[in-house]
């Protein structure tokens, strides 16, 4: 939906959101939700094709794109500076960019795979904060991190990924304490299963991919695996003034999956891999 000429009264009226990984999956759903709420967007992605696709949907008058890798400090510094040149301020940094591969036990994970996961999923948050904190001080803005339920409860055959998401949870709480005196709120969302390209890639790496769809529905107490729009709605709330007294929160947006988490693999399947 195009943003009207004046967005007064909209939830994110006059806000500028710096959004990483905002061209597909949860991030793209967030981009659309934020734009409908009146925000201007600076979207960072390392995938030129997905940027081109996003351009066809998002309002060009209120959206700018930067091709950059969140794991590269210099590229993110440039992206922050570009956002400030275009929009003049940053009110929200949403650290959504992330990767999930490989789906392996720890001893099967190579050193490059381990390092890459941490450089993207945790290092990306460091880089946007390092280069964006001065702007957030001026606006008394907010930071939102996209975490995962598995960062709290673990997940079989996904050790390195779950380690990064556990780090995101702890980092979110520490950042909330550090930046509260500056009026900057820091929160995270923790989805369980969400039908995104990342999840579909993970599904194909499982020993029994043909059973994964049913599994993904069953793990949620509400009975289905959602699309990314349900996560975007929660993110919109957390970055808006409606959540003005919430900080350090890891918000499960999980359909109750944490209330009775079900294993994907039978124990003998994991033993066979080990």
């Amino acid at each position: 939906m195009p943003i009207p000429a004046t967005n007064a009264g909209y939830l994110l009226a006059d806000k500028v959101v710096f959004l990483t990984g905002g061209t597909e999956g949860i991030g793209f759903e967030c981009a659309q939700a934020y734009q409908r709420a009146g925000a201007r967007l600076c979207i960072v992605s390392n995938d030129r094709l997905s940027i081109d696709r996003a351009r066809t949907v998002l309002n060009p008058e209120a959206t700018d794109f930067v091709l950059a890798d969140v794991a590269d400090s210099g590229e993110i510094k440039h992206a922050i500076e570009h956002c400030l040149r275009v929009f003049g301020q940053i009110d929200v940094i949403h650290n959504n960019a992330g990767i999930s591969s490989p789906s392996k036990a720890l001893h099967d994970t190579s050193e490059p795979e381990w390092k890459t996961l941490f450089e993207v999923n945790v290092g990306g948050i460091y880089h946007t904060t390092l280069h964006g904190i001065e702007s957030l001080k001026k606006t008394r803005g907010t930071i939102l991190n996209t975490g995962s339920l598995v960062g709290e409860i673990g997940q079989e055959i996904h050790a390195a990924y779950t380690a990064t998401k556990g780090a995101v949870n702890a980092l979110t709480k520490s950042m909330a304490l550090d930046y509260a005196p500056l009026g900057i709120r820091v929160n995270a969302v923790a989805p369980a299963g969400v039908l995104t390209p990342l999840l579909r890639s993970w599904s194909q790496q499982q020993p029994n991919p043909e059973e994964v769809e049913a599994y993904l529905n069953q793990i949620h107490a509400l009975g289905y695996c959602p699309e990314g729009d349900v996560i975007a709605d929660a993110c919109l709330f957390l970055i808006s003034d409606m959540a003005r007294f919430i900080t350090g929160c890891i918000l499960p947006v999980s359909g109750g999956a944490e209330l009775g988490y079900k294993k994907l693999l039978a124990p003998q399947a994991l033993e066979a891999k080990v």
Side-chain angles (χ1 to χ4, degrees):
M1 181 182 74
I3 296 176
T6 173
N7 58 8
Y10 281 66
L11 202 56
L12 298 182
D14 303 319
K15 302 292 186 183
V16 175
V17 180
F18 185 88
L19 171 62
T20 69
T23 56
E24 58 185 1
I26 291 172
F28 187 53
E29 294 290 345
C30 286
Q32 294 174 86
Y34 297 165
Q35 196 167 84
R36 287 192 295 269
R40 292 170 289 168
L41 304 175
C42 184
I43 298 178
V44 174
S45 172
N46 67 347
D47 184 341
R48 189 178 297 277
L49 288 177
S50 70
I51 289 177
D52 292 341
R53 288 193 297 268
R55 286 186 194 276
T56 67
V57 176
L58 298 173
N59 181 356
E61 296 181 2
T63 312
D64 199 70
F65 296 90
V66 181
L67 183 67
D69 183 352
V70 296
D72 187 305
S73 180
E75 291 187 9
I76 295 306
K77 181 176 186 291
H78 165 76
I80 291 284
E81 291 170 347
H82 176 83
C83 182
L84 292 171
R85 284 194 301 271
V86 173
F87 295 118
Q89 67 192 60
I90 296 175
D91 300 277
V92 179
I93 294 176
H94 181 175
N95 295 298
N96 176 74
I99 56 175
S100 64
S101 294
S103 184
K104 299 177 181 178
L106 186 61
H107 69 280
D108 287 325
T109 304
S110 71
E111 288 190 22
E113 289 170 335
W114 172 270
K115 290 177 181 177
T116 299
L117 274 162
F118 273 88
E119 287 168 356
V120 173
N121 293 0
V122 186
I125 297 174
Y126 170 60
H127 294 147
T128 61
T129 305
L130 177 67
H131 300 299
I133 192 66
E134 292 301 322
S135 297
L136 291 182
K137 287 180 183 179
K138 294 175 183 177
T139 57
R140 295 176 70 85
T142 185
I143 297 172
L144 179 64
N145 300 323
T146 299
S148 171
L149 181 62
V150 300
E152 177 66 25
I153 65 175
Q155 185 178 45
E156 66 272 30
I157 316 184
H158 219 184
Y161 173 75
T162 61
T164 66
K165 292 304 182 178
V168 169
N169 289 353
L171 191 57
T172 297
K173 294 176 182 180
S174 294
M175 291 168 67
L177 291 171
D178 287 339
Y179 302 138
L182 303 174
I184 297 171
R185 300 184 298 108
V186 186
N187 294 294
V189 288
V194 184
L195 294 174
T196 65
L198 274 181
L199 183 67
R200 292 183 173 94
S201 173
W202 170 83
S203 299
Q204 293 306 308
Q205 295 177 56
Q206 302 313 303
N208 48 353
E210 69 283 353
E211 299 176 19
V212 170
E213 182 177 352
Y215 160 78
L216 289 172
N217 290 329
Q218 291 167 6
I219 65 171
H220 300 88
L222 291 179
Y224 67 97
C225 186
E227 301 283 345
D229 61 314
V230 301
I231 313 302
D233 287 345
C235 292
L236 175 59
F237 166 71
L238 284 174
I239 68 171
S240 77
D241 286 343
M242 292 182 70
R244 61 192 174 276
F245 204 63
I246 299 175
T247 196
C249 173
I250 313 298
L251 179 65
V253 191
S254 56
E258 70 275 19
L259 303 178
Y261 195 74
K262 299 179 179 66
K263 288 183 176 293
L264 171 60
L265 301 173
Q268 61 268 26
L270 180 56
E271 289 168 5
K273 279 190 68 66
V274 173

